[in-house]
mmCIF file of all heavy atoms in Angstrom:
data_model
loop_
_atom_site.group_PDB
_atom_site.id
_atom_site.type_symbol
_atom_site.label_atom_id
_atom_site.label_comp_id
_atom_site.label_asym_id
_atom_site.label_seq_id
_atom_site.Cartn_x
_atom_site.Cartn_y
_atom_site.Cartn_z
ATOM 1 N N TRP A 53 -5.751 16.924 7.718
ATOM 2 C CA TRP A 53 -6.374 15.692 8.209
ATOM 3 C C TRP A 53 -7.845 15.957 8.479
ATOM 4 O O TRP A 53 -8.194 16.820 9.285
ATOM 5 C CB TRP A 53 -5.666 15.225 9.485
ATOM 6 C CG TRP A 53 -6.214 13.937 9.997
ATOM 7 C CD1 TRP A 53 -7.080 13.760 11.027
ATOM 8 C CD2 TRP A 53 -5.960 12.631 9.478
ATOM 9 N NE1 TRP A 53 -7.374 12.424 11.186
ATOM 10 C CE2 TRP A 53 -6.692 11.712 10.242
ATOM 11 C CE3 TRP A 53 -5.183 12.148 8.421
ATOM 12 C CZ2 TRP A 53 -6.674 10.336 10.004
ATOM 13 C CZ3 TRP A 53 -5.157 10.787 8.192
ATOM 14 C CH2 TRP A 53 -5.899 9.909 8.982
ATOM 15 N N ASP A 54 -8.725 15.233 7.802
ATOM 16 C CA ASP A 54 -10.165 15.399 7.974
ATOM 17 C C ASP A 54 -10.811 14.208 8.676
ATOM 18 O O ASP A 54 -12.013 13.985 8.530
ATOM 19 C CB ASP A 54 -10.838 15.640 6.620
ATOM 20 C CG ASP A 54 -10.561 17.038 6.092
ATOM 21 O OD1 ASP A 54 -10.555 17.986 6.902
ATOM 22 O OD2 ASP A 54 -10.337 17.177 4.875
ATOM 23 N N GLY A 55 -10.022 13.447 9.404
ATOM 24 C CA GLY A 55 -10.557 12.352 10.198
ATOM 25 C C GLY A 55 -10.437 10.994 9.521
ATOM 26 O O GLY A 55 -10.245 10.888 8.308
ATOM 27 N N LEU A 56 -10.540 9.959 10.338
ATOM 28 C CA LEU A 56 -10.406 8.586 9.841
ATOM 29 C C LEU A 56 -11.450 8.202 8.791
ATOM 30 O O LEU A 56 -11.093 7.582 7.783
ATOM 31 C CB LEU A 56 -10.431 7.590 11.002
ATOM 32 C CG LEU A 56 -9.121 7.440 11.770
ATOM 33 C CD1 LEU A 56 -9.300 6.503 12.961
ATOM 34 C CD2 LEU A 56 -8.015 6.951 10.870
ATOM 35 N N PRO A 57 -12.736 8.536 8.987
ATOM 36 C CA PRO A 57 -13.709 8.150 7.949
ATOM 37 C C PRO A 57 -13.369 8.728 6.575
ATOM 38 O O PRO A 57 -13.447 8.030 5.564
ATOM 39 C CB PRO A 57 -15.037 8.698 8.476
ATOM 40 C CG PRO A 57 -14.855 8.784 9.957
ATOM 41 C CD PRO A 57 -13.412 9.145 10.151
ATOM 42 N N HIS A 58 -12.962 9.992 6.549
ATOM 43 C CA HIS A 58 -12.597 10.635 5.286
ATOM 44 C C HIS A 58 -11.336 10.000 4.703
ATOM 45 O O HIS A 58 -11.246 9.755 3.494
ATOM 46 C CB HIS A 58 -12.407 12.143 5.505
ATOM 47 C CG HIS A 58 -12.246 12.914 4.239
ATOM 48 N ND1 HIS A 58 -11.039 13.404 3.825
ATOM 49 C CD2 HIS A 58 -13.146 13.258 3.285
ATOM 50 C CE1 HIS A 58 -11.194 14.031 2.673
ATOM 51 N NE2 HIS A 58 -12.473 13.957 2.328
ATOM 52 N N PHE A 59 -10.366 9.722 5.566
ATOM 53 C CA PHE A 59 -9.125 9.082 5.127
ATOM 54 C C PHE A 59 -9.415 7.724 4.481
ATOM 55 O O PHE A 59 -8.984 7.451 3.362
ATOM 56 C CB PHE A 59 -8.160 8.919 6.310
ATOM 57 C CG PHE A 59 -7.018 7.995 6.042
ATOM 58 C CD1 PHE A 59 -5.987 8.377 5.210
ATOM 59 C CD2 PHE A 59 -6.977 6.732 6.615
ATOM 60 C CE1 PHE A 59 -4.930 7.516 4.940
ATOM 61 C CE2 PHE A 59 -5.931 5.863 6.358
ATOM 62 C CZ PHE A 59 -4.906 6.257 5.519
ATOM 63 N N PHE A 60 -10.147 6.855 5.194
ATOM 64 C CA PHE A 60 -10.428 5.522 4.667
ATOM 65 C C PHE A 60 -11.262 5.590 3.392
ATOM 66 O O PHE A 60 -11.007 4.850 2.433
ATOM 67 C CB PHE A 60 -11.100 4.639 5.716
ATOM 68 C CG PHE A 60 -10.123 4.076 6.706
ATOM 69 C CD1 PHE A 60 -10.173 4.439 8.038
ATOM 70 C CD2 PHE A 60 -9.137 3.182 6.311
ATOM 71 C CE1 PHE A 60 -9.266 3.927 8.956
ATOM 72 C CE2 PHE A 60 -8.223 2.661 7.212
ATOM 73 C CZ PHE A 60 -8.290 3.032 8.540
ATOM 74 N N ALA A 61 -12.247 6.459 3.342
ATOM 75 C CA ALA A 61 -13.063 6.599 2.132
ATOM 76 C C ALA A 61 -12.203 7.056 0.959
ATOM 77 O O ALA A 61 -12.331 6.529 -0.155
ATOM 78 C CB ALA A 61 -14.206 7.572 2.371
ATOM 79 N N SER A 62 -11.334 8.012 1.209
ATOM 80 C CA SER A 62 -10.470 8.531 0.145
ATOM 81 C C SER A 62 -9.569 7.447 -0.435
ATOM 82 O O SER A 62 -9.383 7.372 -1.653
ATOM 83 C CB SER A 62 -9.606 9.674 0.682
ATOM 84 O OG SER A 62 -10.421 10.729 1.128
ATOM 85 N N CYS A 63 -9.019 6.615 0.432
ATOM 86 C CA CYS A 63 -8.102 5.561 -0.025
ATOM 87 C C CYS A 63 -8.843 4.364 -0.616
ATOM 88 O O CYS A 63 -8.481 3.861 -1.677
ATOM 89 C CB CYS A 63 -7.214 5.109 1.133
ATOM 90 S SG CYS A 63 -6.088 6.401 1.701
ATOM 91 N N GLU A 64 -9.877 3.911 0.055
ATOM 92 C CA GLU A 64 -10.569 2.693 -0.374
ATOM 93 C C GLU A 64 -11.451 2.898 -1.596
ATOM 94 O O GLU A 64 -11.710 1.958 -2.335
ATOM 95 C CB GLU A 64 -11.394 2.115 0.782
ATOM 96 C CG GLU A 64 -10.528 1.587 1.909
ATOM 97 C CD GLU A 64 -11.313 1.198 3.144
ATOM 98 O OE1 GLU A 64 -12.562 1.364 3.166
ATOM 99 O OE2 GLU A 64 -10.680 0.735 4.104
ATOM 100 N N GLU A 65 -11.905 4.122 -1.801
ATOM 101 C CA GLU A 65 -12.801 4.399 -2.927
ATOM 102 C C GLU A 65 -12.077 5.030 -4.110
ATOM 103 O O GLU A 65 -12.705 5.438 -5.074
ATOM 104 C CB GLU A 65 -13.949 5.297 -2.463
ATOM 105 C CG GLU A 65 -14.828 4.630 -1.420
ATOM 106 C CD GLU A 65 -15.822 5.585 -0.795
ATOM 107 O OE1 GLU A 65 -16.006 6.712 -1.327
ATOM 108 O OE2 GLU A 65 -16.410 5.216 0.233
ATOM 109 N N GLY A 66 -10.749 5.112 -4.030
ATOM 110 C CA GLY A 66 -9.989 5.643 -5.151
ATOM 111 C C GLY A 66 -10.229 7.098 -5.429
ATOM 112 O O GLY A 66 -10.551 7.473 -6.549
ATOM 113 N N ARG A 67 -10.094 7.945 -4.399
ATOM 114 C CA ARG A 67 -10.360 9.373 -4.563
ATOM 115 C C ARG A 67 -9.106 10.242 -4.572
ATOM 116 O O ARG A 67 -9.210 11.450 -4.706
ATOM 117 C CB ARG A 67 -11.243 9.868 -3.416
ATOM 118 C CG ARG A 67 -12.619 9.301 -3.405
ATOM 119 C CD ARG A 67 -13.417 10.008 -2.357
ATOM 120 N NE ARG A 67 -14.600 9.262 -1.983
ATOM 121 C CZ ARG A 67 -15.342 9.566 -0.958
ATOM 122 N NH1 ARG A 67 -15.033 10.583 -0.185
ATOM 123 N NH2 ARG A 67 -16.406 8.848 -0.678
ATOM 124 N N LEU A 68 -7.935 9.668 -4.387
ATOM 125 C CA LEU A 68 -6.729 10.494 -4.322
ATOM 126 C C LEU A 68 -6.265 10.864 -5.735
ATOM 127 O O LEU A 68 -6.095 9.983 -6.577
ATOM 128 C CB LEU A 68 -5.612 9.758 -3.575
ATOM 129 C CG LEU A 68 -5.891 9.463 -2.111
ATOM 130 C CD1 LEU A 68 -4.748 8.659 -1.500
ATOM 131 C CD2 LEU A 68 -6.122 10.743 -1.316
ATOM 132 N N PRO A 69 -6.053 12.147 -5.989
ATOM 133 C CA PRO A 69 -5.650 12.561 -7.333
ATOM 134 C C PRO A 69 -4.202 12.193 -7.669
ATOM 135 O O PRO A 69 -3.832 12.140 -8.829
ATOM 136 C CB PRO A 69 -5.841 14.078 -7.323
ATOM 137 C CG PRO A 69 -5.795 14.459 -5.890
ATOM 138 C CD PRO A 69 -6.302 13.290 -5.108
#
Side-chain angles (χ1 to χ4, degrees):
W53 183 259
D54 286 321
L56 280 176
H58 189 255
F59 166 73
F60 281 115
S62 299
C63 294
E64 292 172 358
E65 296 171 13
R67 294 188 198 169
L68 296 177

